[in-house]
Amino acid sequence: MKLALFASVAMLLLSSGETLGQQPVAVPTPKAPTQKQGEATAGIRAAIRSYAEAFERGDGKTLAGLWTPDGDIVDDEGRLLNGREAVGQITPATKDAPRPVFRIEQTNLRLLTTDVAIEDGTVEVTPPGGTTPLKGWFSATWVRHDGTWKLSSVRESQISSPHSTPRLADLDWMVGDWTVVEDHPDREPAAGSLPLTLGSRPPLEVSVRWNATRTFLLRDMKIADASAAAAAGGDTGDGLPAMHITQRIGWDPLSKQIMSWAFGSDGSHGEATWTRDNDTWIARTMSVLPDGTQTSSLNIYTYDGANRCTWRSVPTHVGGEHAPHVSMTMIRKPKPASPQTSPQTSPKGSPAR
């Protein structure tokens, strides 16, 4: 999951300085602006205010209307998104689906013509539950379209964190076998199936181990065990087919960060970059589904230091649709007890020697 949707929304809040508790940001203007330049600047500010208000309401329809039909976003890894489709997925925040927190450090707006303007700035995005922000830079193009100011493009780039780089060894806590259960399902279970809650059939079984040279963590994720799948007629019992996902997590010497690569038995695949925030790990994930649909999300793991970890997935882009937030709990299975060897006895009942 990238900064894409977060930064593209946040950058529109930059110039207004009217939301998220920020101070107004000064936008330099020409020393002697013409009347048309003044009208253009006022029009852009009005569009920014409308965008900020719609964002606070979670009004994706209004947000999408502030983009040109062909407006696009290029995220910090070069992936192309349609602007209207991306922001159109935004919905009102809920207790179980909080929004990231945005903070704008600086921004600059300059008019190229009375119909085109460029906005540059930096943004900090703190994921739900996190304390260390992700930092990024953006450049947005505003154009006068059908008489009103709209966004035509947003280009983004991630800024390397000044904090110490996490080591792959910091993920050693993941090693082991885990049961994963859904805490707050966003959908009702299918008729006749078991609810995905603590104490019921787990939807996921996860096994994590090191490779022989400890250069990769190997994760195997199985959705529904064989017996549950058979009892449900060959699937997981909730309308989804049984699935197996393999993942490798390792240090990437080119990007100088922890990355992972995952492959599903249904043909899906994805990759993620991992960052650490105290006891929380954030995997910014980009995936491709079997039908070619691209999805992105923030997968947030918060480890309790013992045998439990909360796992939240906050989607940021799923084709042209809005995906539900998912909250799960990973519970480490106890290690099997070592077998005890009973003393052998002789036929007469005396201990064998």
Side-chain angles (χ1 to χ4, degrees):
M1 162 328 312
K2 313 303 169 190
L3 290 172
L5 295 189
F6 296 155
S8 61
V9 171
M11 66 90 192
L12 292 167
L13 305 178
L14 273 178
S15 300
S16 67
E18 296 177 3
T19 60
L20 308 180
Q22 300 177 48
Q23 296 297 319
V25 180
V27 179
T29 57
K31 293 183 179 180
T34 65
Q35 181 178 354
K36 287 187 177 181
Q37 288 174 329
E39 291 175 351
T41 300
I44 295 174
R45 288 184 180 278
I48 290 172
R49 285 194 296 271
S50 296
Y51 202 105
E53 292 167 359
F55 177 75
E56 288 298 314
R57 297 192 305 269
D59 184 354
K61 182 177 180 180
T62 298
L63 294 174
L66 287 165
W67 280 78
T68 60
D70 59 350
D72 57 30
I73 300 169
V74 176
D75 71 11
D76 59 312
E77 290 196 356
R79 295 183 174 88
L80 181 67
L81 303 173
N82 179 274
R84 283 189 170 181
E85 290 182 358
V87 301
Q89 301 168 43
I90 294 176
T91 58
T94 65
K95 180 180 179 181
D96 293 331
R99 287 201 195 96
V101 176
F102 304 101
R103 179 180 177 83
I104 303 307
E105 293 187 339
Q106 59 183 2
T107 185
N108 179 65
L109 179 67
R110 56 195 173 94
L111 293 173
L112 301 183
T113 71
T114 54
D115 294 318
V116 180
I118 299 294
E119 183 181 16
D120 298 302
T122 58
V123 59
E124 290 185 352
V125 182
T126 303
T131 58
T132 301
L134 306 174
K135 295 186 177 183
W137 163 91
F138 70 85
S139 180
T141 302
W142 291 88
V143 300
R144 198 192 301 270
H145 178 80
D146 293 338
T148 60
W149 284 95
K150 298 183 185 293
L151 277 168
S152 177
S153 73
V154 171
R155 299 295 182 263
E156 301 170 349
S157 178
Q158 182 182 356
I159 300 174
S160 299
S161 172
H163 303 291
S164 59
T165 302
R167 303 167 301 165
L168 185 60
D170 293 339
L171 283 171
D172 186 65
W173 63 267
M174 279 191 169
V175 173
D177 295 321
W178 302 78
T179 292
V180 184
V181 291
E182 194 167 4
D183 291 336
H184 304 289
D186 288 303
R187 53 181 165 78
E188 293 296 326
S193 66
L194 295 175
L196 303 182
T197 57
L198 286 171
S200 65
R201 176 180 60 80
L204 279 173
E205 296 289 332
V206 180
S207 177
V208 186
R209 67 187 188 281
W210 287 102
N211 68 339
T213 56
R214 293 181 68 89
T215 51
F216 288 97
L217 277 169
L218 310 178
R219 296 180 78 200
D220 285 309
M221 292 167 275
K222 295 180 180 179
I223 302 178
D225 55 64
S227 59
D235 62 24
T236 63
D238 56 8
L240 300 175
M243 185 174 176
H244 182 205
I245 301 172
T246 59
Q247 182 184 56
R248 281 180 177 258
I249 306 174
W251 174 259
D252 179 19
L254 291 180
S255 63
K256 298 188 183 303
Q257 57 190 333
I258 295 174
M259 294 192 64
S260 63
W261 300 265
F263 303 89
S265 58
D266 63 348
S268 59
H269 60 87
E271 64 179 47
T273 56
W274 294 64
T275 56
R276 183 179 181 179
D277 181 5
N278 297 320
D279 293 328
T280 297
W281 286 86
I282 303 166
R284 300 188 300 152
T285 304
M286 188 72 181
S287 303
V288 178
L289 304 183
D291 63 359
T293 299
Q294 296 187 46
T295 73
S296 62
S297 62
L298 282 178
N299 290 334
I300 305 167
Y301 301 81
T302 303
Y303 178 49
D304 74 347
N307 297 308
R308 185 178 292 261
C309 172
T310 59
W311 172 15
R312 288 177 294 151
S313 181
V314 183
T316 58
H317 183 70
V318 185
E321 301 177 358
H322 177 72
H325 291 62
V326 176
S327 177
M328 295 187 175
T329 297
M330 300 172 57
I331 304 172
R332 195 195 311 270
K333 297 180 180 179
K335 293 182 179 180
S338 301
Q340 299 294 326
T341 303
S342 302
Q344 297 180 354
T345 58
S346 65
K348 294 182 179 180
S350 59
R353 292 183 171 86

